[in-house]
Amino acid sequence: MSEPVMWSAFRSYLEEQMPSYLEMLENMVNINSFTANPIGVNELGQLTAELFAELGFTAEFVPSVNEDYGQHLVLTRNGRSNKALGFVSHLDTVFPAEEEERNNFHWRVAGEKIYGPGTVDIKGGTVMMYMVLDGLRQHAPEIFEDVNWTLLLDSSEEVLADDFGALCVERLSAQNALACLVFEGGSFDNNQFKVVVARKGMAVCRFAVEGKASHAGSAHEVGANAVVQMANMISEVAKVTDYEKQVTVNVGFVNGGTVPNRVPHHAEAALEMRAFDKTVFEEALANITEIIENPTVTDGNGDFTCTVKNNISQLTAPWPRNEGTDKLFGIWQEAAQDVGYEVIEEHRGGLSDGNNIWHTIPTVDGLGPAGGNAHCSERSEDGRKDQEYCYVPSFVPKAMVNIAGILRLLEAD
């Protein structure tokens, strides 16, 4: 089969099957799989296992380290060669069931867009995985049968629990996998796709100030104001943001005090810091820690100084540009040209499971369908707020690029 005929056959098959692929997606979207809803996450995992069983995959459910979360799903299909590839998606979304009901956020088709929880982040990505494998089974059966496929679906990606990354590294390293392909949503514009080659790291700090309470009128000087101390620290840590260095600090939660006639004795806050560069990331975290752990507010006599407890509750290192990712990206660029598209690189501020995998297995990300408004369930009449959606015309072209990339990768090995 000549290349033009081969690609035409792939495209025709995928287009013919699109109604069934979208039916799969609808069934997934109709299951609430909020991270903190383990019953729903596990229900989606079971449905996903049943769908991929049709392609010959065997399911394994792996309990999360955190008992509040659902089970991770590992799908495997043994091949006839020693070549192995890993695909990564996740089962959970950020939307509680009551939020979906409150905002009437459900499967909704509007022209070329389909709205609903997880349509692009990331249930659409799981369907993309199925499309790629189904296309290979149909029109490259020898390759489909030769490869050892391992599909890993995270039950708690939206909180990026560390145990799933360790699971991926363990399973894919054991098979000496050529690559880990992450199917987070991407973009599609004028026949051009973006592929993620780097992501910021993130540190989350939760800190609490203990001051000294007193009567605000008759004994103000006796108190040490925890809220003032917190305000001072917030002002300083916000200055660590440096757009030129691509480091940001966001104080996302503050709480303190009780009533106006009492000098407050307690305040708490939480912030996140993100950066692409490892050195910048470490320097920024050190600066934040220095500010938080050196309180200055005292009582009127200077006899009592506020104290602070700082807890770094999450620490995810950056995923920088690296040789393994760059090699894969080059393959995807050439593959896109094979099928009439263009691929450009994207450095993304958000995290993914790829942050915990790239250092061991060559990884690229953003291989899912295009869409928008991820993590948003709200919709306003003036159109300034709208819900998460996937862009249907992106599915087949993106599947074509991914299939071409996989074929080139296997050929190059």
Side-chain angles (χ1 to χ4, degrees):
M1 182 184 297
S2 67
E3 278 203 0
V5 174
M6 178 182 73
W7 294 127
S8 175
F10 269 112
R11 188 183 300 275
S12 295
Y13 178 75
L14 293 172
E15 289 175 347
E16 289 169 2
Q17 297 302 312
M18 269 307 297
S20 65
Y21 299 145
L22 292 179
E23 183 180 357
M24 292 179 192
L25 181 57
E26 182 176 7
N27 290 335
M28 292 178 180
V29 169
N30 287 339
I31 298 173
N32 176 271
S33 58
F34 177 47
T35 310
N37 174 21
I39 293 175
V41 169
N42 291 341
E43 181 184 352
L44 177 60
Q46 185 61 49
L47 172 64
T48 304
E50 292 169 1
L51 290 172
F52 281 85
E54 298 171 5
L55 299 178
F57 281 81
T58 300
E60 176 188 358
F61 294 93
V62 180
S64 298
V65 170
N66 188 324
E67 295 180 355
D68 294 332
Y69 302 145
Q71 298 180 92
H72 306 308
L73 174 60
V74 181
L75 300 167
T76 55
R77 191 180 195 282
N78 296 328
R80 300 177 300 200
S81 72
N82 61 357
K83 293 184 178 182
L85 285 175
F87 289 6
V88 167
S89 183
H90 60 89
L91 300 168
D92 62 325
T93 69
V94 298
F95 307 105
E98 57 270 22
E99 179 182 338
E100 293 179 4
E101 291 300 322
R102 182 173 65 251
N103 293 325
N104 193 25
F105 184 38
H106 303 290
W107 179 267
R108 173 170 58 92
V109 179
E112 296 181 321
K113 296 178 180 179
I114 298 177
Y115 295 84
T119 45
V120 70
D121 185 17
I122 189 178
K123 295 171 182 179
T126 302
V127 171
M128 178 63 67
M129 287 167 37
Y130 190 99
M131 292 176 65
V132 167
L133 293 165
D134 191 29
L136 287 169
R137 179 182 64 164
Q138 184 71 19
H139 289 292
E142 290 295 318
I143 291 171
F144 179 73
E145 295 291 344
D146 280 348
V147 174
N148 295 285
W149 304 99
T150 301
L151 319 182
L152 301 112
L153 293 97
D154 192 348
S155 67
S156 49
E157 191 274 346
E158 296 296 356
V159 296
L160 210 65
D162 293 338
D163 61 314
F164 180 77
L167 176 66
C168 292
V169 169
E170 173 195 338
R171 299 299 178 90
L172 298 181
S173 295
Q175 290 195 322
N176 196 26
L178 295 173
C180 177
L181 309 179
V182 183
F183 284 79
E184 293 284 351
S187 65
F188 180 50
D189 185 35
N190 291 326
N191 284 341
Q192 183 183 83
F193 291 101
K194 292 180 180 178
V195 168
V196 177
V197 297
R199 286 182 178 269
K200 284 185 174 182
M202 181 175 73
V204 175
C205 298
R206 301 181 183 277
F207 49 105
V209 176
E210 290 299 322
K212 183 180 179 185
S214 66
H215 194 289
S218 61
H220 188 277
E221 71 282 3
V222 176
N225 195 309
V227 170
V228 171
Q229 178 64 77
M230 180 64 75
N232 290 349
M233 289 192 300
I234 287 173
S235 177
E236 290 303 309
V237 296
K239 295 177 184 177
V240 176
T241 292
D242 186 330
Y243 295 125
E244 289 188 2
K245 294 182 177 180
Q246 296 182 298
V247 56
T248 57
V249 177
N250 182 63
V251 180
F253 167 79
V254 181
N255 186 37
T258 52
V259 291
N261 64 345
R262 182 189 189 193
V263 175
H265 70 288
H266 181 81
E268 54 188 308
L271 65 80
E272 63 148 54
M273 180 275 295
R274 302 193 189 214
F276 281 113
D277 182 81
K278 182 176 182 290
T279 300
V280 171
F281 183 87
E282 292 174 349
E283 289 177 350
L285 182 58
N287 290 338
I288 290 169
T289 301
E290 176 74 14
I291 293 166
I292 291 175
E293 296 183 355
N294 287 281
T296 58
V297 172
T298 68
D299 62 7
N301 298 320
D303 296 329
F304 180 93
T305 304
C306 290
T307 60
V308 183
K309 291 183 178 180
N310 179 28
N311 174 38
I312 300 176
S313 61
Q314 182 176 346
L315 190 62
T316 304
W319 168 6
R321 292 298 296 267
N322 62 88
E323 184 179 353
T325 293
D326 285 347
K327 182 179 178 181
L328 281 178
F329 175 70
I331 290 172
W332 252 250
Q333 275 192 311
E334 294 173 356
Q337 294 174 1
D338 292 341
V339 291
Y341 299 103
E342 180 185 6
V343 161
I344 61 173
E345 67 186 48
E346 180 181 5
H347 296 224
R348 194 174 288 185
L351 309 182
S352 83
D353 287 310
N355 282 74
N356 293 323
I357 302 170
W358 70 270
H359 60 283
T360 304
I361 311 294
T363 304
V364 288
D365 196 348
L367 302 184
N373 304 332
H375 291 199
C376 184
S377 69
E378 298 173 286
R379 185 185 184 197
S380 62
E381 292 184 3
D382 61 11
R384 290 187 295 176
K385 292 194 293 186
D386 210 348
Q387 299 168 330
E388 179 179 326
Y389 69 89
C390 65
Y391 182 56
V392 176
S394 72
F395 275 83
V396 170
K398 193 64 170 287
M400 294 284 292
V401 171
N402 290 332
I403 289 170
I406 289 170
L407 292 178
R408 271 190 171 268
L409 173 62
L410 294 170
E411 181 181 320
D413 180 56

